[in-house]
Amino acid sequence: MRDNAAGALLDWYDGNARVLPWRIAPQARAQGQRPDPYRVWLSEIMLQQTTVAAVKGYFLHFTERWPDVHALASADDADVLAAWAGLGYYARARNLIKCAREVSENRYGVFPDNAQELQELPGIGPYTSAAIASIAFDHPDTVVDGNVERVMARLNAVETPLPEAKPQLIAHAEALTPQMRPGDYAQAVMDLGATICTPRTPACGRCPWRSICKARALGIARDLPRKSPKKKKPVRYGRIYVGLRRDGAWLLETRPPTGLLGGMLGWPGTEWCVAPDDAPPAPGEWNDLGAEVRHTFTHFHLRLSVTTALLPEDVVPERGNFVASSKFDVSDLPTLMRKVHAVAAPALNED
């Protein structure tokens, strides 16, 4: 089954591969064109817990500004974090910088060609190392993301719910991974899940694996993969302070290097906890807008009360620094901080 199944999928992929800015088309690979490991690595880091649609623009911007690993390694941390703003999961950006510098400074700009060594680099775990080794270097490593899990669950009618089913699904994926064209095969399975074997409305009639899919035969394809009930996320609270100096400068701070939104530019605020203490970052007449900004992180929901102030030009902040309006770009802020700006700016402009 392995060779026949892989061959059928690769035939489908040759005619249906998605056109992605980091991908070498199967026809080009067949003619000897090889993927750039830097671009494969960058795309895989960006795609962690993020969609292809969200990543495309960021990838093009990054590769235009920093076309190789040496360029990225030489960039200022603040510039990279600002370019990453809005993509989320900011620990990825911090590790991206660390990894680029490790490869540039200690590995002569050359990425390792195997999963074991790749995992020694910052921010590269088992999935990402397998993806880079497979796609960039054509090693027969098994690549299993959410799309692949769904395809394997349906192909083999695995009714054990996720995440308990992960080891079983990985084993099924390993059994099908071919020695020939493993990089194309890895991308083909992901494309199958993204375009045909979709979560809610799989197009089974167009699937190259329809004849061997056990879930289709049983009529349960739409029901798989099953998932265990999610635990209810706790709610944390905080207060955020948006200060605008009368000359148009905004009061901002760089968050601590570790933790959520680590190293990112944002508005000063309290701790995010059950009962945060108030601590305005500068003396002034602060006004509670009576508005709440809500945001969801992986492990909790956050609710922030928004407080604003028009501050005199001679004010000395206790936290943060003023950024002149000519140098302020709201797009440099992470999504949460952009939400706060959208609420606070109209109120301050009225004043």
Side-chain angles (χ1 to χ4, degrees), residues 24-301:
I24 300 298
Q27 293 78 12
R29 286 183 71 128
Q31 295 173 4
Q33 188 173 345
R34 310 310 302 165
D36 179 355
Y38 168 72
R39 293 171 70 88
V40 174
W41 161 74
L42 179 61
S43 68
E44 288 298 331
I45 299 299
M46 287 184 166
L47 286 164
Q48 291 172 6
Q49 298 176 295
T50 313
T51 65
V52 166
V55 164
K56 285 182 180 179
Y58 284 90
F59 179 84
L60 291 170
H61 175 68
F62 263 73
T63 50
E64 180 179 353
R65 188 169 182 182
W66 301 296
D68 57 41
V69 71
H70 296 299
L72 184 58
S74 301
D76 289 338
D77 290 22
D79 290 340
V80 176
L81 291 171
W84 190 277
L87 196 53
Y89 299 98
Y90 294 98
R92 294 180 299 162
R94 298 193 295 273
N95 282 326
L96 189 82
I97 299 167
K98 293 177 184 177
C99 185
R101 290 173 181 163
E102 169 67 22
V103 172
S104 176
E105 296 168 8
N106 300 324
R107 296 178 180 266
Y108 308 100
V110 178
F111 282 86
D113 66 356
N114 63 86
Q116 183 176 353
E117 287 188 61
L118 283 164
Q119 287 187 50
E120 296 174 5
L121 297 174
I124 298 182
Y127 165 77
T128 305
S129 65
I132 297 170
S134 174
I135 297 168
F137 300 106
D138 235 14
H139 285 197
D141 291 84
T142 301
V143 183
V144 181
D145 67 353
N147 283 316
V148 178
E149 287 178 346
R150 183 168 59 257
V151 170
M152 291 300 123
R154 289 171 175 172
L155 185 64
N156 298 279
V158 175
E159 297 198 53
T160 304
L162 286 167
E164 292 87 347
K166 282 182 179 289
Q168 190 176 357
L169 299 177
I170 291 171
H172 283 305
E174 287 176 344
L176 288 173
T177 301
Q179 295 295 313
M180 297 294 293
R181 298 179 64 190
D184 280 345
Y185 173 82
Q187 294 173 99
V189 184
M190 290 188 278
D191 275 15
L192 186 69
T195 64
I196 298 292
C197 197
T198 53
R200 296 185 179 179
T201 55
C204 297
R206 297 190 287 117
C207 179
W209 280 349
R210 60 187 177 276
S211 64
I212 59 173
C213 180
K214 294 180 180 179
R216 179 175 181 265
L218 294 171
I220 59 172
R222 292 190 181 191
D223 301 328
L224 301 180
R226 303 193 191 282
K227 295 182 180 180
S228 298
K230 291 184 178 180
K231 293 181 180 179
K232 187 176 180 180
K233 292 182 180 181
V235 178
R236 298 183 188 176
Y237 299 86
R239 183 170 293 279
I240 204 86
Y241 298 94
V242 182
L244 178 64
R245 206 166 58 186
R246 292 194 178 275
D247 63 356
W250 295 92
L251 181 57
L252 294 155
E253 68 174 1
T254 300
R255 293 181 61 82
T258 58
L260 288 170
L261 307 185
M264 301 296 293
L265 195 65
W267 312 108
T270 66
E271 294 292 329
W272 300 342
C273 54
V274 175
D277 294 326
D278 274 344
E285 296 184 8
W286 293 90
N287 302 306
D288 186 341
L289 293 185
E292 187 177 71
V293 169
R294 298 188 178 192
H295 193 76
T296 296
F297 291 97
T298 304
H299 300 297
F300 65 93
H301 300 294

